[in-house]
Amino acid sequence: MTTHIFRTLLMYFFIYFTIRIMGKREIGKLSLFDFVISIMIAELAVFVVEDMKEPLLDGILPMVTLVILQIIIAKISLKNRRLRLLFDGKPTVLISNGKIHRDAMKKQRYNLDDLMLQIRQKDIDNIADVEFAILETTGQLTVLSKDSKSAEESSYESSLARRKSRVYSRRKILVPAGKLTHQGLPVPLIMDGRVQDENLHLIKKTRFWLKNQILAKGASDFKDVFLCSIDHNNHIYIDLKEKVSGEPVK
């Protein structure tokens, strides 16, 4: 029992100082290379704690080797961009000027639901309002809005919108036929070439109406559309699939 406690405490302080030596960069963000190194160190620490028959050096030496390797590569990467790109990769542009780059999303295995979730978390309602969406090497999505308002104004307006939506949700509103019954976020009408019939019913529109909208933008079939959405101002956003030239609609 005493040996287990000793080894556990030893590994705790060893990994703590190891992370300090590797730098604060490891705590703030993890590239693919950093992630692999961290996982291997954690696995070796478990090996040292669980296997009491093996000497401590059999686990500590590989951990020290990994730390030295990481430090050396990090030092070289500071001066060598090619090596840095080899180990860390490079950012990928998923949206530019409101246009979704479907090839880039497919290459990064980034689906449409994840993209829209990340954009909503940045307090942006519509993809058409995105100037750039960049998938960083750490897996985080950086979103730059076309809106030039300050962050405080955007935060203030979003809080007002949330308050209004709560008020609307508490009372029954009679909406004339053909008008939208939702507030705030755009409603997806087509996703990955599939018509969202429930949302069409929500806005009191038909497939015939939707077909005319996409025909006007050069798509001959619903399957040609990657994403189509409509906001509370009846502004329609359409992003077409490969080999079909389309632009965001406002």
Side-chain angles (χ1 to χ4, degrees):
M1 179 64 71
T2 304
T3 307
H4 275 93
I5 295 175
F6 170 74
R7 288 197 173 206
T8 301
L9 292 175
L10 178 64
M11 283 300 99
Y12 170 78
F13 287 109
F14 182 83
I15 293 177
Y16 174 79
F17 286 110
T18 295
I19 294 176
R20 292 294 299 270
I21 292 172
M22 291 170 67
K24 293 183 178 179
R25 176 175 179 267
E26 305 304 313
I27 302 173
K29 61 177 182 177
L30 287 176
S31 65
L32 181 60
F33 176 70
D34 300 330
F35 180 73
V36 172
I37 293 290
S38 300
I39 290 295
M40 292 184 68
I41 290 176
E43 288 292 331
L44 288 169
V46 172
F47 163 76
V48 171
V49 173
E50 286 187 346
D51 198 340
M52 305 299 296
K53 296 179 180 179
E54 296 294 333
L56 283 172
L57 285 179
D58 287 355
I60 292 179
L61 283 179
M63 294 171 69
V64 172
T65 302
L66 289 173
V67 173
I68 294 174
L69 175 65
Q70 195 279 337
I71 293 174
I72 292 175
I73 293 179
K75 293 286 186 182
I76 298 176
S77 297
L78 291 175
K79 300 179 180 179
N80 192 321
R81 188 171 184 271
R82 289 184 178 180
L83 184 64
R84 185 164 64 250
L85 292 177
L86 177 64
F87 283 99
D88 292 344
K90 59 182 180 180
T92 302
V93 178
L94 301 183
I95 300 176
S96 61
N97 196 27
K99 174 67 179 177
I100 301 175
H101 298 289
R102 191 164 177 264
D103 287 338
M105 289 182 61
K106 186 184 296 184
K107 185 177 179 181
Q108 299 297 326
R109 293 182 290 279
Y110 210 85
N111 63 59
L112 189 57
D113 291 322
D114 288 339
L115 180 63
M116 295 179 70
L117 171 65
Q118 294 291 328
I119 290 175
R120 288 196 298 269
Q121 289 179 344
K122 303 295 182 180
D123 293 330
I124 299 177
D125 296 338
N126 203 328
I127 291 180
D129 297 330
V130 177
E131 184 71 27
F132 286 104
I134 304 170
L135 184 62
E136 306 292 354
T137 58
T138 59
Q140 295 179 343
L141 188 69
T142 300
V143 181
L144 304 177
S145 173
K146 293 180 181 179
D147 196 355
S148 59
K149 294 179 182 178
S150 66
E152 289 147 7
E153 290 175 338
S154 298
S155 176
Y156 176 72
E157 290 181 359
S158 63
S159 65
L160 283 179
R162 284 194 295 269
R163 290 176 185 174
K164 289 181 180 179
S165 65
R166 292 194 194 103
V167 173
Y168 286 133
S169 63
R170 289 173 189 166
R171 56 182 180 173
K172 187 176 181 181
I173 302 176
L174 298 177
V175 182
K179 300 291 184 178
L180 290 179
T181 58
H182 67 97
Q183 299 286 335
L185 296 177
V187 174
L189 303 179
I190 302 176
M191 295 181 68
D192 286 324
R194 296 183 177 181
V195 178
Q196 308 297 307
D197 291 302
E198 292 183 0
N199 293 339
L200 271 177
H201 179 71
L202 171 68
I203 65 173
K204 302 186 185 304
K205 299 291 184 181
T206 63
R207 284 197 173 212
F208 179 76
W209 170 86
L210 183 60
K211 187 67 173 288
N212 289 333
Q213 299 298 318
I214 66 172
L215 285 174
K217 296 304 170 183
S220 59
D221 193 77
F222 295 131
K223 295 180 180 179
D224 296 332
V225 180
F226 183 53
L227 174 65
C228 174
S229 64
I230 184 171
D231 63 17
H232 61 284
N233 291 319
N234 283 339
H235 293 164
I236 300 175
Y237 173 90
I238 297 177
D239 188 84
L240 304 181
K241 289 186 177 181
E242 302 170 359
K243 301 181 181 179
V244 182
S245 59
E247 296 181 354
V249 181
K250 290 185 177 180

